[in-house]
Amino acid sequence: AQKITQTQPGMFVQEKEAVTLDCTYDTSDPSYGLFWYKQPSSGEMIFLIYQGSYDQQNATEGRYSLNFQKARKSANLVISASQLGDSAMYFCAMRELLTGDYKLSFGAGTTVTVRA
Amino acid sequence: GAVVSQHPSRVICKSGTSVKIECRSLDFQATTMFWYRQFPKQSLMLMATSNEGSKATYEQGVEKDKFLINHASLTLSTLTVTSAHPEDSSFYICSAAGTSGGYEQYFGPGTRLTVT
């Protein structure tokens, strides 16, 4: 079964507007971590934000925030005030912590294109 | 954050030859390293998990005799694509998890392999 689902293959957003990237996950592990990565055309994977399953508050990092809805098993990424440099592919990922093997399960990714 | 390097960044080789890709953690000790393969516009596919001083654990469907992984030290893992064929052309990315028990994986910049 797919552990991470990203249903938006591609999105367009106007510069300076906010964009929400959807991510749902599936796990029976009570302890897990959720990640978002940005991959520009250069190929490097850039870590954006992390949310632990026991974290009480939604994670925020600058213009990135994670809308964590545990009951719905969703972990949407919100990018506020989009910039041209935000154009990239974005991946949601999960690590199930009880297995202890550090493996990440990745979603299919969402390509974001920011328009001027 | 921690730095992971990969060498080479790009390589072109002839069909039938072998290619070695190095992954180094520059400022931390990595007990576990991961090798991923990524086709254009697709997600990262985990190929194998490499633990220092022991044999790599390959994901289902990945030929261990084709993709040789060695993790001889806490700072270096290598992936050797043996008898490469054009279908092995891809983007290969490594990541490393540190010894401190933290949650994050640190990704290398990737290696683009083209087999002619």
Side-chain angles (χ1 to χ4, degrees), chain A residues 62-102:
Chain A
R63 293 187 298 111
Y64 305 107
S65 60
L66 200 151
N67 184 2
F68 181 45
Q69 298 189 35
K70 196 170 182 176
R72 294 185 178 183
K73 292 190 174 179
S74 76
N76 298 341
L77 176 71
V78 180
I79 306 173
S80 62
S82 296
Q83 302 172 356
L84 295 177
D86 294 334
S87 294
M89 199 157 185
Y90 290 80
F91 292 100
C92 179
M94 176 176 65
R95 178 187 159 203
E96 293 162 297
L97 301 178
L98 286 187
T99 63
D101 63 3
Y102 291 91

Side-chain angles (χ1 to χ4, degrees), chain B residues 81-104:
Chain B
V81 183
T82 62
S83 187
H85 291 284
E87 57 265 30
D88 298 324
S89 298
S90 189
F91 192 58
Y92 293 88
I93 308 176
C94 72
S95 70
T99 58
S100 63
Y103 55 78
E104 194 173 337

Side-chain angles (χ1 to χ4, degrees), chain B residues 1-110:
Chain B
V3 178
V4 175
S5 70
Q6 272 185 251
H7 178 80
S9 57
R10 291 177 178 271
V11 58
I12 301 172
C13 71
K14 291 188 176 179
S15 190
T17 62
S18 295
V19 174
K20 181 185 284 188
I21 302 170
E22 292 186 349
C23 176
R24 292 183 186 272
S25 56
L26 298 184
D27 53 0
F28 69 103
Q29 293 185 323
T31 50
T32 305
M33 287 183 170
F34 300 89
W35 287 96
Y36 297 87
R37 183 174 182 177
Q38 186 181 29
F39 292 107
K41 305 291 186 186
Q42 294 189 22
S43 187
L44 279 70
M45 182 192 80
L46 179 65
M47 298 174 67
T49 303
S50 166
N51 292 299
E52 185 266 337
S54 63
K55 288 184 179 180
T57 304
Y58 290 82
E59 295 298 303
Q60 195 172 7
V62 177
E63 299 175 59
K64 60 182 180 181
D65 295 330
K66 172 97 178 143
F67 299 99
L68 300 179
I69 291 171
N70 182 275
H71 192 161
S73 77
L74 284 172
T75 59
L76 173 65
S77 177
T78 59
L79 167 68
T80 301
V81 183
T82 62
S83 187
H85 291 284
E87 57 265 30
D88 298 324
S89 298
S90 189
F91 192 58
Y92 293 88
I93 308 176
C94 72
S95 70
T99 58
S100 63
Y103 55 78
E104 194 173 337
Q105 279 187 29
Y106 303 96
F107 284 84

Side-chain angles (χ1 to χ4, degrees), chain A residues 6-109:
Chain A
Q6 292 180 255
T7 58
Q8 306 152 310
M11 296 185 73
F12 291 94
V13 59
Q14 206 63 32
E15 197 178 9
K16 299 181 185 176
E17 292 186 351
V19 61
T20 298
L21 308 183
D22 294 341
C23 172
T24 57
Y25 59 92
D26 183 26
T27 181
S28 57
D29 192 327
S31 183
Y32 52 89
L34 297 159
F35 302 77
W36 276 93
Y37 288 90
K38 172 184 178 182
Q39 188 180 41
S41 57
S42 59
E44 61 184 312
M45 293 289 284
I46 301 169
F47 167 73
L48 296 178
I49 198 166
Y50 170 82
Q51 180 85 43
S53 59
Y54 294 118
D55 292 343
Q56 294 296 313
Q57 293 189 326
N58 286 346
T60 60
E61 288 287 347
R63 293 187 298 111
Y64 305 107
S65 60
L66 200 151
N67 184 2
F68 181 45
Q69 298 189 35
K70 196 170 182 176
R72 294 185 178 183
K73 292 190 174 179
S74 76
N76 298 341
L77 176 71
V78 180
I79 306 173
S80 62
S82 296
Q83 302 172 356
L84 295 177
D86 294 334
S87 294
M89 199 157 185
Y90 290 80
F91 292 100
C92 179
M94 176 176 65
R95 178 187 159 203
E96 293 162 297
L97 301 178
L98 286 187
T99 63
D101 63 3
Y102 291 91
K103 276 188 188 181
L104 285 175
S105 301
F106 283 89

